[in-house]
Amino acid sequence: MFVFRKVVDLQQFLQSQRKLNRQIGFVPTMGALHNGHLSLIEQSRKTADLTVCSIFVNPTQFNDPADLKKYPRPIEADIRLLTNAHCDVLFLPYNREVYPKGKLTKVNMKFGKLNKVMEGQFRPGHFEGVVQVVNRLLEIVEPDYLLMGQKDFQQFSIIASMLEQLNSKVRLRMCPIVREEDGLAMSSRNRRLTKEQRQKSVLISRTLKKARKLLKTATVAEVKSFALEALAEPEEFKPEYFEIVDGRSLQPLEKINPGKLVVACAAVWVGEIRLIDNMICQNEQILYPE
Ligand code: PAF
């Protein structure tokens, strides 16, 4: 695997690959890699000729400085995982490469109601930072494909909207959530959970699963109140939101329309760690045809 720390070096290499007609798949990450990330690498390898993964803990998307400071950075283990996953290129930029002094990188774009709910409501400024860094990374890498996970469902929707607004040729692909054996969605934050918190955190995916089932017979309001109550039960658990949303507009639904993509989304504090998860409740084939 090639490792580049500077934009010029990466771009020079990618230019040589484009001349060989190689299509580039790009997987942006913040490191602390797990099987969820590796599934994106795998999908990229199936989709494109060359896979570029970036590891950059983007300071502009953290609304909580303590979270940024504590964000895990196990770079040696990450390099090993990427090498074993046959990733072709790791872009591990210095801060100044992503945000050079004097370069305007902020993106002035409107997302309507997409970024006002859920993560947008509870993490002010978060999506501005995500859009800024993804846009900048796309400008650097210029990939043919961009692969992102369903785990950050709202992030995916906002990046899809960004690409649409930019009239971008980059093809965005969603990859399903990868779960631990007990159902907990894989996340870089899971490694910060204590053993006891980790065991209890399975409740999040179990509640989403129950909610999905319950939605067939109960009202949205009933399902929401069941889920919020269940997620508040264990000591140290504080649900921030539980929403049943339209999978396109991300707006909370009051009732279920059979033709629509419906997604249940949750954010829960487990002690000092904030976990998010989601589950598609209806019309999954809209996202994953076949
Ligand atoms: O999902 C993430 O890990 C980050 O938000 C991303 C897309 C790499 C941007 O920093």
Side-chain angles (χ1 to χ4, degrees):
M1 183 175 68
F2 294 96
V3 181
F4 296 105
R5 305 220 63 180
K6 289 189 176 171
V7 172
V8 282
D9 297 335
L10 173 75
Q11 287 185 330
Q12 198 173 29
F13 174 76
L14 293 179
Q15 204 45 37
S16 72
Q17 298 300 301
R18 273 188 212 101
K19 281 194 185 137
L20 299 171
N21 271 334
R22 299 217 165 116
Q23 298 237 305
I24 298 165
F26 177 45
V27 179
T29 80
M30 298 206 297
L33 303 178
H34 48 69
N35 285 343
H37 297 112
L38 299 182
S39 76
L40 297 170
I41 301 287
E42 197 183 323
Q43 190 55 49
S44 171
R45 293 185 68 236
K46 284 185 193 152
T47 311
D49 305 306
L50 187 99
T51 293
V52 179
C53 174
S54 65
I55 296 183
F56 179 65
V57 183
N58 172 37
T60 68
Q61 71 187 73
F62 285 82
N63 55 320
D64 173 4
D67 194 25
L68 171 62
K69 207 167 160 209
K70 286 186 197 149
Y71 204 85
R73 293 163 170 88
I75 190 60
E76 275 164 26
D78 284 351
I79 291 177
R80 228 174 299 126
L81 285 171
L82 289 173
T83 308
N84 291 342
H86 306 287
C87 178
D88 301 295
V89 175
L90 166 62
F91 181 43
L92 183 63
Y94 301 108
N95 220 60
R96 59 176 184 273
E97 294 288 313
V98 179
Y99 300 125
K101 257 198 195 134
K103 184 173 171 66
L104 261 177
T105 53
K106 278 201 175 140
V107 181
N108 200 358
M109 228 175 247
K110 298 268 180 283
F111 294 97
K113 290 180 181 171
L114 267 190
N115 63 348
K116 306 288 182 297
V117 291
M118 302 190 287
E119 295 303 287
Q121 181 186 346
F122 288 97
R123 299 184 69 190
H126 169 65
F127 286 126
E128 282 83 346
V130 170
V131 165
Q132 178 185 20
V133 78
V134 174
N135 182 56
R136 173 73 181 129
L137 290 169
L138 291 177
E139 176 185 278
I140 295 169
V141 179
E142 294 183 77
D144 299 281
Y145 296 93
L146 172 63
L147 297 103
M148 299 183 86
Q150 182 202 318
K151 164 89 178 355
D152 293 289
F153 192 81
Q154 192 172 9
Q155 166 172 281
F156 184 94
S157 308
I158 285 169
I159 296 302
S161 165
M162 176 187 99
L163 293 175
E164 211 180 298
Q165 293 184 55
L166 291 171
N167 251 327
S168 169
K169 286 201 188 88
V170 177
R171 281 161 279 181
L172 178 62
R173 297 281 185 269
M174 178 185 276
C175 296
I177 298 175
V178 178
R179 297 183 179 280
E180 302 286 354
E181 233 167 73
D182 63 1
L184 176 67
M186 289 199 182
S187 162
S188 307
R189 290 192 164 86
N190 292 354
R191 62 181 80 197
R192 288 176 53 205
L193 298 166
T194 64
K195 207 170 155 205
E196 203 183 322
Q197 288 171 334
R198 165 66 191 85
Q199 274 168 358
K200 288 185 190 165
S201 295
V202 64
L203 179 71
I204 303 170
S205 61
R206 286 203 182 138
T207 304
L208 282 162
K209 230 171 149 180
K210 277 192 198 154
R212 181 174 62 184
K213 196 166 169 214
L214 206 55
L215 211 53
K216 296 195 170 95
T217 52
T219 66
V220 169
E222 283 164 349
V223 174
K224 268 182 71 171
S225 76
F226 149 77
L228 286 168
E229 206 172 296
L231 291 170
E233 182 109 340
E235 209 189 310
E236 290 197 282
F237 272 53
K238 250 196 236 143
E240 202 159 62
Y241 63 78
F242 183 95
E243 295 290 358
I244 311 280
V245 302
D246 177 289
R248 291 289 182 222
S249 68
L250 302 189
Q251 298 313 294
L253 293 168
E254 279 169 19
K255 61 180 177 34
I256 304 299
N257 174 334
K260 295 268 168 137
L261 174 65
V262 176
V263 187
C265 303
V268 183
W269 285 96
V270 178
E272 285 181 2
I273 297 126
R274 186 175 182 278
L275 300 178
I276 59 169
D277 196 357
N278 65 77
M279 221 167 257
I280 301 162
C281 298
Q282 187 179 271
N283 288 327
E284 187 158 355
Q285 73 281 1
I286 294 180
L287 288 175
Y288 301 112
E290 272 158 41

